[in-house]
Amino acid sequence: MKFTKAFISIFFTLLLIWALQTKISVVPPLGKFLSPADGFWQNAESKHILPTLDLKLKGLQGKVTIKFDENHIPHIFAQNEHDLYFAQGYMTATDRLWQMDIQTRQAAGRLAEVIGPKVLDIDRYHRRMGMVYGAEKTIKAMMVDPVVRNMILAYTDGINSYIHQLSPRSYPIEFKLLNYAPEDWKPINCAFLLKLMSETLAGGSNEFAMTNILRKFGPAVTNDLFPDYPMHEDPIIPTGTKWDYFKTLPIPKPSANFLAGMADSTNTKPRVEGIGSNNWAVAGSKTASGYPILANDPHLNLTLPSIWYQVQLSAPGMNVYGVSLPGAPCVILGFNNNISWGITNVDADVLDWYQEKFRDTKMEEYWYNNKWNKTTRRIEKIEVLGQKPVYDTVVYTHHGPVVYQNNTQKADGPDFVPVGHSLRWIAHEQSNELMAMYLLNTGKNYDDYRKALTFFSAPASNFVFASKDDIAITPNGKYPLKYKDQGKFILDGTDPADDWHGWVPFEQDPTIKNPARGFVSSANQSSTDPSYPYYINWSFAPYERGKRINDRLAVMTNATVDSMRKLQTDVYSIRAQNILPTLLKYIDPTKLNATQLSAYDQINMWDKNFAPNSIGATVFTNWWSQLYNAVWGDDFADKTLQNNFPSVDRTEKLLLNEPTSKWFDDIRTPAKETAADIVNKAFAAAVKEITDRCGKPGANWQWGKFKKMEIASLSRQTAFGSGNFESGGTASTVNALHDGHGPSWRMVVQMGPKVKGYGIFPGGESGNPGSFFYNDMFKTWNEGKLKELLFMQSVSEQSPRIKSTYTLTGK
């Protein structure tokens, strides 16, 4: 009996030892993870920063001094550009190594290597979309340029210098959770980061849904419900701008297939509001200082750590402050002593699907230009944790990859990707965006700004600019030369007329400098009015944010930095201003029950601000949502239409100008509904929805409590996220906080003899959840405040805000 108990004890002890040292599914070896010597305990950091640290790093050519302010932002001073980018890579890796690794793996289709087969479909999708193919072409182009090549190599060496000094005990906690080690950084990883940004801002498409809509409803209805220019608009380049300063290239003729579709052919073949941002610049004539002020707040997925990394870079010929993308050198959004710049997304039509005609199921030949042409094949090897590698063969035509060759391949792939179609995408083109950033970082004037933009291809972006003397904005990018609406629907892969016909010359991109109105701005709305000769896209973000910004800037005088801050956090709803009076006129208060009457009273006295304590904002949002879905949910119920409803603008036009329209009738009921019926039903449904969720009218109906906001961690570990917090704003207000998206970096720059910058992002500089600097700036950001950025002019400058210093020298 004693031997039996001893045997059982030994057996379970060995089993426990084995379990603690073995990774089971996605659970790391708990022995390693909990080890006091090497486990997660080693990731805890003190708030108190080391006052000095001397490091000897192989590869440095001279001395680098890095000064850290109270938020642990590095101010890097180097004696040459090589060491500057080496140090930037080193410090970014120190703070954000796992973020850099996982984002690169996502773009490269390499998540399954460390997470396992459950993410294989994500990897396969990114490989088949040509992310690696595009990154290979981009890094090849960038490495030809000696300035960019040296920058990338120095940055890469700096990252690897940090990686090589790590031991398992000092790995970032996410490496321990997933039980893998960081690998050497490669130059192509810098290109992967740029492709990931292209995917975020220019990687979606509704051509498949639009083609199905065209087939279902015909061209007359499709053009009516999905017009090429909205009823409401306040374009980035002001209406009435003349384009007679350049000679327009010949516009391509529409293909026969396109013309047939627009002629109501029944044989037409099959093709969310984007993530938003704001930027503007105000001329000195409208500011208290007499010098321009620039503002930018890109709205992206909010994550911990932030998508951005704050840094100051200083070397002979350069002194720049702003935010960078972890994994790529330079400052992406920022300012120096002479200029400032910011970016929003254009949302250009630079992703098209082509229906190909293959000779047979082998897909070795496809019909194009009246003859059979050979396809090519690219083998994608995908490593999978715990399994044999997966080899995926992707067919390419001259347009690009056939993302899914059959329904089996697509499985749970994105709805917007049509099976058997090839993809033409700007992300597949060679580009050199880092040269654009370098020229902006070192720029001195408007001419330097314009030169920099010639290198920026994708994603097409509205570059706002300010110097001491000038303001400007350019919806800039590499725009395909197309016929009007080419790409609104799926294109005919057999017809050369549907190919891209070259590129719009850079100097003919829409742009404006020092306009008479005294400001420039963008909020992802239409780039121009319809008079611009080239096709950029047929649909842009709703105009409300842009309209509100322009309204406020138009009447602003003696503007200050705080004026810009208040505008960035503005929560007034132009949408409510436009449609609420019409909605209310359909409601008869005498027919409402007590709860409905309370909701009616709240919205009737609402000031149209999406403030956290507003009940009217909650009622309006739910009422409009119910109405929008009631109008279109019946007619667009077909799954092939992918819930691609007509725009908010078109729905407003229906409500304001077409109250007897057939679209108000719910075809699922025997009655014939009118606008009044739908508006009343939507109001009742909205009140019921709020009541079911929040109870009787009261504090729980307030917008901040009703609209849950959370900043999730990149690791998707709940404990590493922000938790729910109350906030104002919504997608259509300037402060566009909505569904995990929002201002990822608020920046205001006061130009003048001495440039001053102000900024904040939600979170902190460190990517380590165990660090005080992981989320130390979140509260300031959530309160809508800015911090003055410590823009030092020399390594010898003294400041009480400097809390520690690193000195880096070569070995």
Side-chain angles (χ1 to χ4, degrees), residues 23 101-102 105 110-116 178 180 383 385:
K23 180 172 181 174
D101 179 272
I102 204 68
R105 287 180 178 277
R110 296 182 56 210
L111 292 173
E113 286 184 26
V114 297
I115 298 176
L178 292 170
Y180 76 103
E383 301 283 354
L385 181 68

Side-chain angles (χ1 to χ4, degrees), residues 159-195:
I159 295 170
N160 288 331
S161 178
Y162 175 72
I163 291 173
H164 294 164
Q165 74 182 36
L166 292 176
S167 63
R169 68 181 296 173
S170 56
Y171 288 169
I173 191 170
E174 294 88 354
F175 286 103
K176 298 175 183 179
L177 281 168
L178 292 170
N179 192 36
Y180 76 103
E183 63 183 16
D184 276 10
W185 192 259
K186 302 177 182 64
I188 194 174
N189 291 352
C190 298
F192 279 128
L193 267 296
L194 297 174
K195 298 307 168 186

